[in-house]
Amino acid sequence: MAVKRGIFVAPFDELYEPRLLAELAAQAEANGFDGFFLWDHVNYREPVRAVADPWIAMSAIACATERIRIGPLVTPLSRRRIQKLARETVTLDHLSGGRLTLGVGLGSDRNNELEPFGEVVDPRQRAQLLDDGLQQLTSFWSGGFEPLPLQQPRIPIWVAGRWPKRAPLRRAARFDGFFPIELETPDQLAQLVKELHDLRPGSEHCDVIVTNPPATDPGPWEAAGATWCLTGFERTPREADVRAAIAAG
């Protein structure tokens, strides 16, 4: 099965407007991309100034598209009320016709969105809150709340982690995908894919997602085991650059 292609953007500054993001996602769908994913932040470090809510933006994207997969990359569960996230994810799953993927992770203490708002900063505590939150979330999806998600047995969950830390990889092996951060080469990817497969024996599928700058050849990454290759942009994305990457297909 050929590697899937997606666009991965921060809804910041030039791209804070939900209507613009929906337009870009529709263009990406028309040009054959398989997904359109957004960063999930409530604040960010300089030079970023304007930040959009990704969940409102994804609702606009869901209504403007029919086929592509959408989702946040990534939502830190430690700063979310899990019951509210459960309602949001299921509602967006229905709105999109079953096209939501939920990316989750620890988040970062470098972006002025934890301590200033009274959120947990300690990474071990955030890791425990992530694991507890995943357990609660999947319980809500399994019948704790109604309606159930359209996607069964659950909305796909991709777990992010900074390679070569192994705890996120072990967490990802329990779910549906691994999104390695700060990965530099296809050789590193091949190593983590082997470890991931060792943690998940058998034929059960687990996505491996990489992000690279525009015009990166996906071939070496696909050969190393990537199932998704995302075209990513820096924390101050330019509309013209995103449009050019989408036009290039």
Side-chain angles (χ1 to χ4, degrees):
M1 186 174 180
V3 67
K4 294 181 178 179
R5 300 294 305 277
I7 296 293
F8 179 38
V9 296
F12 298 165
D13 293 337
E14 287 191 24
L15 299 185
Y16 79 89
E17 171 55 59
R19 291 182 181 87
L20 173 58
L21 290 165
E23 177 195 342
L24 293 172
Q27 291 179 358
E29 182 174 77
N31 279 23
F33 284 91
D34 302 291
F36 197 94
F37 302 95
L38 301 180
W39 297 24
D40 185 349
H41 293 276
V42 297
N43 200 20
Y44 209 79
R45 61 187 182 272
E46 294 183 352
V48 171
R49 296 183 62 84
V51 176
D53 182 275
W55 293 86
I56 301 298
M58 285 188 292
S59 295
I61 291 169
C63 292
T65 58
E66 297 180 352
R67 178 186 57 81
I68 57 172
R69 186 152 288 274
I70 63 176
L73 291 179
V74 294
T75 295
L77 267 58
S78 66
R79 63 169 172 79
R80 297 301 307 273
R81 292 178 179 268
I82 300 303
Q83 67 272 23
K84 182 68 165 63
L85 183 62
R87 291 298 193 198
E88 290 170 346
T89 49
V90 171
T91 301
L92 187 53
D93 189 53
H94 280 259
L95 180 63
S96 65
R99 293 184 284 127
L100 175 66
T101 294
L102 176 63
V104 300
L106 295 187
S108 172
D109 61 359
R110 298 179 297 175
N111 299 319
N112 302 316
E113 61 181 346
L114 296 179
E115 189 172 18
F117 302 106
E119 304 289 359
V120 173
V121 176
D122 180 75
R124 291 189 178 184
Q125 287 183 271
R126 281 186 280 136
Q128 186 61 57
L129 288 169
L130 173 56
D131 288 330
D132 292 346
L134 286 168
Q135 183 175 359
Q136 296 169 35
L137 187 62
T138 53
S139 177
F140 285 131
W141 289 349
S142 298
F145 280 169
E146 292 186 13
L148 300 178
L150 289 179
Q151 298 180 91
Q152 292 295 324
R154 63 168 173 253
I155 295 168
I157 294 173
W158 290 349
V159 176
R162 295 188 182 278
W163 180 256
K165 293 183 178 180
R166 265 57 180 191
L169 191 66
R170 292 192 294 271
R171 185 177 293 116
R174 304 198 303 268
F175 292 97
D176 309 292
F178 184 51
F179 178 43
I181 300 171
E182 298 182 350
L183 197 66
E184 296 180 353
T185 67
D187 287 342
Q188 290 178 325
L189 178 66
Q191 179 184 348
L192 78 82
V193 166
K194 181 181 183 304
E195 293 188 27
L196 183 61
H197 288 173
D198 289 343
L199 291 166
R200 287 179 66 121
S203 59
E204 189 175 8
H205 178 71
C206 187
D207 278 312
V208 178
I209 305 93
V210 298
T211 180
N212 284 299
T216 299
D217 179 7
W221 297 93
E222 181 180 8
T227 63
W228 280 84
C229 286
L230 308 183
T231 298
F233 304 84
E234 296 299 325
R235 61 181 182 269
T236 53
R238 296 181 63 251
E239 178 185 343
D241 293 339
V242 177
R243 289 190 183 278
I246 290 172

